[in-house]
Amino acid sequence: MIELRNVHKSFGAVEVLKGISASVEKSEVVCIIGPSGSGKSTILRCINGLESYDAGDILVEGTRVESKAASIVAIRTQVSMVFQRFNLFPHRTAIENVVEGPIYVKKAPPAEALERGRALLAQVGLSDKANAYPAQLSGGQQQRVAIARALAMQPRAILFDEPTSALDPELVGDVLGVMRKLADDGMTMVVVTHEMGFAREVADRVLFIDGGVIVEQGAAKSLLDQPQHARTQDFLRRVLHPL
Amino acid sequence: MQKFLADASEFFPILLQGVGLTILVTVGSLVLSTILGLVWAMMRVSGIRVLSGVSAGLINLIRGIPIIVLLFYLYFVMPDFGITLTALQAAILGLGIAYSAYQAENFRAGIEAIDKGQIEAAQTIGMGWWLTMRRVVLPQAVRIVLPPYGNIMIMLLKDSSQASTITVAELALQGKLIASSTFKNTSVFTLVALMYLTMSIPLILLVRHLEKRASRR
């Protein structure tokens, strides 16, 4: 459903993606791990057309992603994104954030969109916060609203860009719980994360990226438990045993 | 003091006619400068190089010309090109154009203050440029832009007196005419100053209110 073929991307003189090829099947959960600055987030941003890429192809359901083309809108309504810093609209309440896309982009009837929006907020455990503004919510609650906002577009896949990295540790579980439920329901997900426990339990496959290339990829458990490559071993040791 | 009060009651009604024109010039050029300023600001942040270049050039051109010269140009030079404006039209047009540069810079600052993540979030739910502006950027930018906008209103009210140089009989010119025919400079110009102040004070209070409201968030 999502396919990357030999994707290259540079910021100025720095090449951050040096030929990435990967694919994500329907209902698959793929976690991307790797050190900061390795190009993990850039991959997600290229899939969504937030960044353009210099060479190679990214295909979503067979359509080539081009960030400046008109077709990008259709791709974005199929592939939603959840950000590290939530990026909720601060001047709108939780429910307004959720129904913004359905009403103004998909032109859904407001009453219908609101009803669905409330159901989605219930799904992420925030029925009672529908009328709260983002500033009145905790980080974990904001991120769950952001997930509901992404779901409201009825996407075929969701890209998560370090969804728990900006959260206080005790709030991480709520967000991961919502994501796990989504995975169980068959949502296609690409997750850039440092949560190795989540990757091990929820992901089907894990990609380890370093220096702009995929160093190693494979089934989640085998890659995390028996990494083959020295760089993967070194990275996992640092993440799992920082002391 | 007694003398001033006597003069004031005599000149006040005449000056009040000037106040009408002062308000007309101020409001007219405020509306015009707001619309033009929005257009320049939108061009500037459009991401289209030609549009932002033209806008930046225009803003610098307008900023670099004194208001009084702009007014002279519109009122005295344009007739040479076959375009004749009344003094009032020239005043509103001139002040509107002059202030559009400041309005544009204020609007641009407000728009650029919006977190880039907001714009990306809007894009990822499929919003185009215009929808992102209308639903996400502008509603937030308004809060940032309003206090400086109030200051621009106050400056514009005072600068409307420059319309007197092209014969618009607003408050300043009425005052000057009375003063030169009665030689009661002190009374007349004190009264004129007080009348400008009276019109400014509500605006000053409005700005203070807007600043308080903006800082609350």
Side-chain angles (χ1 to χ4, degrees), chain A residues 45 48 50 73 76 87-92 100 104-105 149 153, chain B residues 117-118 120-127 131 135-136 139-140 217:
Chain A
R45 296 169 61 80
N48 208 275
L50 287 178
V73 172
R76 282 175 179 152
N87 296 356
L88 291 179
F89 306 131
H91 57 307
R92 306 205 187 279
E100 183 76 16
Y104 290 94
V105 178
R149 178 174 68 179
M153 297 305 288
Chain B
Q118 295 287 311
E120 292 187 343
Q123 286 176 341
T124 59
I125 56 172
M127 288 191 175
L131 195 57
R135 295 291 307 170
V136 178
Q140 295 184 71
R217 268 216 151 181

Side-chain angles (χ1 to χ4, degrees), chain B residues 32-42 99-101 103-105 107:
Chain B
L32 183 64
S33 66
T34 303
I35 295 169
L36 286 178
L38 260 178
V39 172
W40 307 151
M42 288 301 203
Y99 267 79
S100 72
Q103 300 274 25
E105 289 297 272
F107 294 150

Side-chain angles (χ1 to χ4, degrees), chain B residues 122-161:
Chain B
Q123 286 176 341
T124 59
I125 56 172
M127 288 191 175
W129 186 86
W130 178 239
L131 195 57
T132 304
M133 276 290 156
R134 188 163 67 83
R135 295 291 307 170
V136 178
V137 176
L138 293 181
Q140 295 184 71
V142 165
R143 305 184 73 93
I144 302 168
V145 160
L146 270 181
Y149 188 83
N151 280 322
I152 290 176
M153 281 164 66
I154 296 169
M155 279 160 50
L156 191 49
L157 171 70
K158 294 183 296 178
D159 271 342
S160 70
S161 60

Side-chain angles (χ1 to χ4, degrees), chain B residues 15-171:
Chain B
L15 290 174
L16 212 51
Q17 292 169 8
V19 166
L21 271 173
T22 290
I23 291 174
L24 187 60
V25 169
T26 303
V27 171
S29 48
L30 183 70
V31 170
L32 183 64
S33 66
T34 303
I35 295 169
L36 286 178
L38 260 178
V39 172
W40 307 151
M42 288 301 203
M43 285 167 67
R44 197 74 201 276
V45 301
S46 65
I48 300 167
R49 196 174 293 182
V50 180
L51 289 183
S52 65
V54 167
S55 161
L58 267 173
I59 289 171
N60 284 333
L61 180 75
I62 294 168
R63 266 203 300 212
I65 299 173
I67 292 173
I68 198 167
V69 175
L70 199 60
L71 292 175
F72 287 166
Y73 213 87
L74 285 169
Y75 190 57
F76 298 121
V77 180
M78 291 313 273
D80 290 349
F81 296 97
I83 301 168
T84 308
L85 299 169
T86 67
L88 182 63
Q89 288 168 339
I92 291 175
L93 197 60
L95 283 162
I97 291 172
Y99 267 79
S100 72
Y102 306 111
Q103 300 274 25
E105 289 297 272
N106 180 30
F107 294 150
R108 181 170 72 106
I111 290 169
E112 287 180 347
I114 304 303
D115 178 25
K116 201 162 163 287
Q118 295 287 311
I119 295 161
E120 292 187 343
Q123 286 176 341
T124 59
I125 56 172
M127 288 191 175
W129 186 86
W130 178 239
L131 195 57
T132 304
M133 276 290 156
R134 188 163 67 83
R135 295 291 307 170
V136 178
V137 176
L138 293 181
Q140 295 184 71
V142 165
R143 305 184 73 93
I144 302 168
V145 160
L146 270 181
Y149 188 83
N151 280 322
I152 290 176
M153 281 164 66
I154 296 169
M155 279 160 50
L156 191 49
L157 171 70
K158 294 183 296 178
D159 271 342
S160 70
S161 60
Q162 300 208 43
S164 64
T165 59
I166 55 167
T167 75
V168 177
E170 42 67 75
L171 180 52

Side-chain angles (χ1 to χ4, degrees), chain A:
Chain A
M1 115 143 256
I2 299 171
E3 199 177 349
L4 293 87
R5 291 184 200 144
N6 198 23
V7 174
H8 288 259
K9 163 79 185 170
S10 300
F11 289 111
V14 186
E15 191 174 29
V16 287
L17 301 182
K18 301 174 183 167
I20 299 282
S21 297
S23 65
V24 180
E25 302 303 321
K26 192 172 181 307
S27 294
E28 201 176 22
V29 178
V30 174
C31 280
I32 303 179
I33 61 171
S36 17
S38 58
K40 303 174 305 246
S41 295
T42 307
I43 294 177
L44 292 194
R45 296 169 61 80
C46 285
I47 294 174
N48 208 275
L50 287 178
E51 301 281 356
S52 57
Y53 47 100
D54 306 323
D57 297 294
I58 299 177
L59 303 172
V60 171
E61 299 269 40
T63 308
R64 189 168 190 274
V65 176
E66 286 170 55
S67 61
K68 299 254 186 268
S71 58
I72 195 68
V73 172
I75 289 172
R76 282 175 179 152
T77 56
Q78 288 176 37
V79 182
S80 288
M81 183 141 170
V82 172
F83 298 89
Q84 181 176 356
R85 306 231 27 114
F86 332 130
N87 296 356
L88 291 179
F89 306 131
H91 57 307
R92 306 205 187 279
T93 61
I95 186 74
E96 286 168 350
N97 265 278
V98 173
V99 299
E100 183 76 16
I103 292 179
Y104 290 94
V105 178
K106 290 194 144 181
K107 312 275 181 216
E112 205 173 282
L114 278 168
E115 192 183 333
R116 246 187 68 79
R118 286 207 184 83
L120 286 169
L121 282 178
Q123 191 183 328
V124 298
L126 292 172
S127 324
D128 53 331
K129 299 288 184 190
N131 295 317
Y133 283 92
Q136 299 166 316
L137 299 172
S138 73
Q141 291 169 332
Q142 288 188 54
Q143 191 61 298
R144 284 183 281 152
V145 174
I147 293 173
R149 178 174 68 179
L151 286 171
M153 297 305 288
Q154 298 180 289
R156 292 165 193 241
I158 302 184
L159 311 172
F160 292 86
D161 186 6
E162 301 200 29
T164 58
S165 298
L167 298 179
D168 290 337
E170 79 269 22
L171 303 175
V172 169
D174 292 340
V175 171
L176 291 182
V178 168
M179 290 169 62
R180 158 176 271 184
K181 250 197 296 177
L182 281 180
D184 291 344
D185 292 344
M187 177 60 76
T188 310
M189 293 162 55
V190 183
V191 187
V192 169
T193 186
H194 294 292
E195 294 293 332
M196 295 306 149
F198 176 83
R200 177 198 305 267
E201 286 183 35
V202 181
D204 298 300
R205 271 190 306 135
V206 172
L207 310 183
F208 172 67
I209 293 192
D210 192 8
V213 296
I214 299 177
V215 175
E216 191 171 348
Q217 60 176 309
K221 282 200 177 66
S222 69
L223 187 138
L224 293 171
D225 292 343
Q226 286 131 17
Q228 300 299 310
H229 203 287
R231 272 148 87 190
T232 322
Q233 291 164 2
D234 185 49
F235 172 76
L236 288 173
R237 193 168 54 240
R238 285 162 192 263
V239 173
L240 297 171
H241 309 287
L243 295 179

